Structures are given as structure tokens and as C-alpha cells.
Amino acid sequence: MERELYGREAIFGNDGLAARLTGLTPYGSARVAYEHRDDPPVAVLTGGRGMGKTAALKQLRHLYREITPVALVDCEAVAPPADPGPGWTPVTGALPELATQLTAKVRAARPVQFPRLSLGLVAVASISWTREDETRAQRDLQSLGPVLATVDTRGDAATGWVTKVLTKLAASAFDSVVPLAGMVAEATIETVLEETFSRFQRRSADWYGSYPHAGGNGRIGLRQLAVDFERGGDLRRRAEDHLVLALVADLVRAYGGLARGARRGRPVLLLDNAHTLLGRQLVEPVLRQRASGVRDQIALFASSRARDHEGLSHAVRRRLPEVAHGSHWVRGSEVTSGILAVELTALSPAHVQAAFDRHDPLGRTPAGLARGVHRLTGGRPLGVALLAQAAGEALVPGASQPGSLVPGALLGRTVELREGRAPVRVADELLAQLLPGQQLDVLSVLAAAHSEDSARLLATARLRGRSLDGDVALQVRDVLRAQDWPVGPEHFVADPLLRALLLHRLRFQDDDHPYYAVWRAVHETLRTAYAPGGRCPSVPHRLHQELVLGRTRDCVTHLRERFTDGDVTAWLGSLRFIASAPYPRPPGHAGPDPRRAVALGREAAGSLPDGETGLAGLGERAVELQLQLRRLLHAVWLLSDPLAVPDEEVIDKMAHELRQLSGRHPTGNSVLWDAATHWPRDIRAWRPLSMPPGSSDTGGPGTGGSGQRRGNGGSDA
């Protein structure tokens, strides 16, 4: 069953992009006026991992497969068979798969045949056949069986070809001028045409007369195609391009002539991960042919993980909501202007709530959980889908207390993705899909870093010997960029969801409760580096690490000692940066967050020694300020945590503490009063705390800067 999609009405609506490009509504298959009747664009869905590109293409296949020919190929998943011959390349591997899917039966139309593609693939496959190795030829022809069956439905059609082909080759006069590949291809094509193709289908060979140096003779063109393929390089690329256009020509023929009235709409080609080399090899011949004025009437949808891929250099760009009722695409002079690049947008809070309602129709999830998941995921559909499912399954009677559910707790839960597969932990599944095939233990360590420099420091201290090829941190940086993940100056892993997942893994990967040896070692390394005399001394960063390790005394003491400094905006920036530390939560914790009691001033009297609170030796007013700042630090720490859900009582308490501090500060009372007004608004709007309060975020740690990026699930994510 395909995943339920939200926020994609611009594609799947009855007048959406898919309907306008195919001429058929996805639901009910009613006719729709073409937006671009004579010259449709190639629609490329762009977005990073987990943004729903693959899900959208699969949904298109699901909706259209019974009403028009449709085929879907993942360009990253085309793999060679166990024993590929010299005629196999990713292109010759993908084309038979596309053709086979396109022949599936649809309503009121005969199956599409692929005689031109069949001839080209057979010619290419024959380049290494010899009389001494009939099994090679037999194996290659049998691998082409599905596409050849579109022309001849006899299941054993290829069985007798090999002997006849090789016999004909042996009887041919040897000409040293003619390449052997061309001779074999010519003998093969003659046999296939005689044995398999009907009188009408044999004319399909004439299509290859347009191949370079064919002089209008289709059989010469097929021979030259095989020769070029064997030579490799640009000549092979030319041959592969022609094979792609052979598939297109067969589709055009199926929708032209006498068959025109028997078919409705357009055939649909779906190419996932088309930013890869194979994707470009399948798309670019179509783009060039369309740019030259040759029309094909195929609805071609593709996906690209890289929004700024060079293959999209001249594409017409739109965001998803902008194509809901019209794309306003116009072809330019460049070949790639034939692309309509549609950027998939994040889900809105309403979409996330709809996903939660689907898995929890009784509405038992805690208020704010769906919005908290939106903040954590930034509206990334993959994360929303898995966390919503985890929340729904957590509400099975006896499974959990609804009030204890927060986004961080959902990461550790397991979900059953499909029948017959063992349940998977949400965090593990998300990482497997967002960072497939990567060294997660290495990435988890470097996710704790702030800058590239601190990442290199961690790599040197904690990942020594993990690579023989140079700097581990720089290798990881390049991997993240190649996967289209941001790498920023404030967080080495800049995407909030990815960073939260990697830190969650770092915390729990060694199952070492209550010591968490790996987590502690990584953050102690950073704390030492930021300390005076360390490699990169920084007071805010050192205190940030102290808080990660659960030590609050030095953080509160620093805030108290610097409170009366003149620059209260910088002081607030330091508070916010220190309090952005990941919280070292215990596994499976089902009760209230321990930070809440501290923030509300409800710690049991005398529950902590003076050494933990920093009260020893302080005067009465200093003790009062120390305790006040301890409450404020814990409030900001809890309210800023993307793995928690904001608490209204804590928000009000934070505002109260800031107003009280405003009255105590000799010069900065206005700024603190503004923080008491604007920070609660930011939190209730699911935005990062603004610096200066009430303004846009700029700057860096300890200077009133954000330490965070847009797209973390706030209202403008």
C-alpha cells in the first residue's frame, strides 16, 4: 500500500500538474485539457532526502497504471545482472525495464509494442557473440525476452535465433574492413526480422536510417549503432541516446495513426533520482529532440535530490503551490529550458496534524505533539509519516501514557512498516533513509561539532584511524554536501532533524545506561577544547558542553557574574546559546521532564548540595539571583528543546523571570522586558528565540546570534 500523502494537491488534484500534463485526472480518469498540448515540459520534482519525491512518483504510478501506460525506474537502483555481457550498461539495463512496464494492459487500449527498441537492444547485445560461445548469445537474448515479447508473444521466440544467427555469420564472407561487431549485428537483425517481426513490423528497422552514416538505410544504421556502442566513449553515448529515442518513437507510434482514437491521455514515464548519470542519459535525449522541434506527447516526470544540479541550469523553476492550477512554463532557447523544476515544499502544521489524526482518529495524542513533530522535522514528509505512525501505535492500550509522549520519546519507539518485516526503531529507520549507506558511527560523533574546526578536532581525537584517505571531517562534509545536506558554521550538521537523529544515536548507541560512555567522551573532548588553554577556547561553547553533560552550576554562575555587564543583548545571546544544548535524557523516561520542576521553582528543598547550585559563599542578593537564573536557564533549555513540547506554565514562568530581571539590571531593563514579551511569542509560534528579542535572527553564539537556521519547524519552515 502506498504511503498517504499530504500537501501534494498541486500535483494530484483533478486540475493539478499531473492531470494537465497527462490529459487525465488521477482519480476517475476523466479527460482534462492539456496545459501544453504540443510541447509538454519534463517535470522534475526537486527536494532533499525525505521530502517525498519517490513517494510522489510511486503515487503517480499507482493512480495511472490502469488508465494509461506508465513505467517507473529508480536510476540509482539499476544494477547489472549476475553475468552481464558487453552489451549491458545502465542505459541498456533501464530501457527494457521501462518498456516492459509500459506494455501492461490498460483500459480500452492494446498493449504498446516496442519493435524499434527491440531491434536496437538486440543489435547492441550481439556485439560479443561468437560461434565458439553460443551460451553467451543465448543468455543475452533471454535477458531481453520481456521486451522482445512486446513484438512476439511466443515465449520461446529467442530459442532458435542463436543458432541461425551464428550460422548466418559463419556463412558470411569475412571482410576485414567491416568491424566484426557490425557483421554480427547485421546477421542478428536479419534473423530477428525474418523470424519474429511481421510484415508491418519489419518497417520499424527503417527508423534507424536516420542514424549517423546510415544514409537512410535502417539496417546499416543498426549495424553502425552496434559498432559505435562497442567502441565506447562518446560514440557509445551517441548509440545509447538513439536507443532512448527508439523507446520514445515506439510510444509515439502507439499514439499515432490508426491507434490514435483507441488511446486516451499520454503515456507516463517516471524516473526517480534523475540527477544521477543514468537519469541524465535517459532525459537529455528527449530534451534535445523536443528542443529541435520534434514532439513526442509523453508525460515525463523525474526527481532530483540536487536542486541546483547543472542539468537544471536553465529550467523554469516553481515552488509546488505555484503549479496547482498552472505552471506558466515557457520554453526558452536553451535545451534544459524544456524542464519545469518543481520544488517540493515542507508540510504545514495542518498537514502534520492530519497525519496524526489518521493514526489517532480518537484524538488521544497530547496537545502540541503534532506541532512539536513539525518543529523537529521541519515538515519533512518522511519524518512526519514515521513519527505520526509511532504516536498512533504508542496509544495502543497499555503501551504508553499519552501525556508522556514528546517528539524525543517517539524516536526511540518501534513501528511496523509492512507485513512480514520486523518492526524497526523510528530513529534508525529515519537515518537509514536519510543517510543510506553512510558510516553512522562517524557521523554521530561529528554531529556534536559546531564548526568545521571542531569537527576536525573531534575526528582527530575520537576517530583516529577511521580513514586512510585523509581528513575524516572533510570527507564527511563532502558526503553531506553530495547528499544535499547543509553544512553550516554554527552546526557542522546543519539540518535540525538530521542532527537530532545523529545525536540521539550517539546518546544511545552503546546501550550504556547510565554512563553513556561514547556520548560523554565526545562532549568531554569538546569541553576540554573550549576550556582556557584548549585548542579553541570559548566560554559560551565550553558552558554549552557543560550543560550537555548535565552540569548546570558553572553555566548559572557565569550568567550571574556577567549579568550586570553593559551589553545585555550579548548576555541574552549567551543564555540562549548555552541553553540550546542537547538534553541528556534517560532512555524510556515516562514521567515529566526533570527540567520542568527546576524551571518552576519546585525542586525539593535541600535536594541538591550547594556545590551543584553554586550557592556556597554567596550573599543573600547573589543567592537570590543565582536561583532566579537557575530557573530561567532550565526554562529556556526546556522550551528550546526540539525533542520536547513547550509547556504553557513554563513559558509564563520564563516571562516572569525575565521581567523580574529587567527590574534588577542597571542599564538593560528595556531589552530584558522585550525578551519577556517576545520570547513567549516566539515559542508559542514555534519559532527560534529571536535576537535581539522581537527581530530577525543574525549573528553567532554569545553575540545575540541564533545558533540555528530557518527550516527547523517554525512557522516559516
Side-chain angles (χ1 to χ4, degrees), residues 448-459:
H450 294 278
S451 64
E452 186 178 298
D453 287 341
S454 61
R456 298 180 71 185
L457 183 151
L458 277 177

Side-chain angles (χ1 to χ4, degrees), residues 167-327:
T167 300
K168 185 170 292 189
L169 178 63
S172 302
F174 180 75
D175 185 347
S176 60
V177 178
V178 179
L180 183 61
M183 294 176 60
V184 178
E186 189 171 359
T188 302
I189 294 305
E190 288 179 0
T191 303
V192 171
L193 288 172
E194 293 168 3
E195 296 291 324
T196 301
F197 282 47
S198 69
R199 181 165 57 89
F200 299 105
Q201 290 170 333
R202 289 172 193 168
R203 291 157 52 188
S204 301
D206 297 340
W207 181 81
Y208 285 90
S210 64
Y211 195 79
H213 310 301
N217 187 313
R219 300 195 185 197
I220 294 177
L222 280 161
R223 183 179 67 189
Q224 187 62 42
L225 177 89
V227 172
D228 285 354
F229 190 93
E230 184 187 44
R231 287 176 175 173
D234 290 342
L235 293 177
R236 174 172 291 181
R237 180 67 181 268
R238 181 171 74 181
E240 290 176 328
D241 287 353
H242 217 71
L243 290 174
V244 173
L245 296 180
L247 179 138
V248 171
D250 285 329
L251 277 175
V252 169
R253 178 67 184 88
Y255 277 75
L258 296 176
R260 191 173 190 83
R263 297 186 183 276
R264 303 164 64 244
R266 290 171 174 156
V268 180
L269 287 182
L270 307 169
L271 302 177
D272 200 9
N273 292 306
H275 56 277
T276 59
L277 176 60
L278 173 58
R280 295 189 65 174
Q281 288 180 289
L282 294 174
V283 172
E284 288 179 357
V286 179
L287 288 172
R288 287 193 293 269
Q289 180 168 269
R290 290 181 178 181
S292 70
V294 179
R295 308 307 185 208
D296 54 60
Q297 297 301 305
I298 296 171
L300 201 165
F301 295 85
S303 72
S304 173
R305 191 162 61 244
R307 182 183 183 276
D308 297 323
H309 193 281
E310 61 180 348
L312 302 174
S313 56
H314 298 283
V316 175
R317 296 182 180 273
R318 300 283 184 266
R319 298 180 75 248
L320 182 61
E322 297 171 342
V323 301
H325 305 292
S327 64

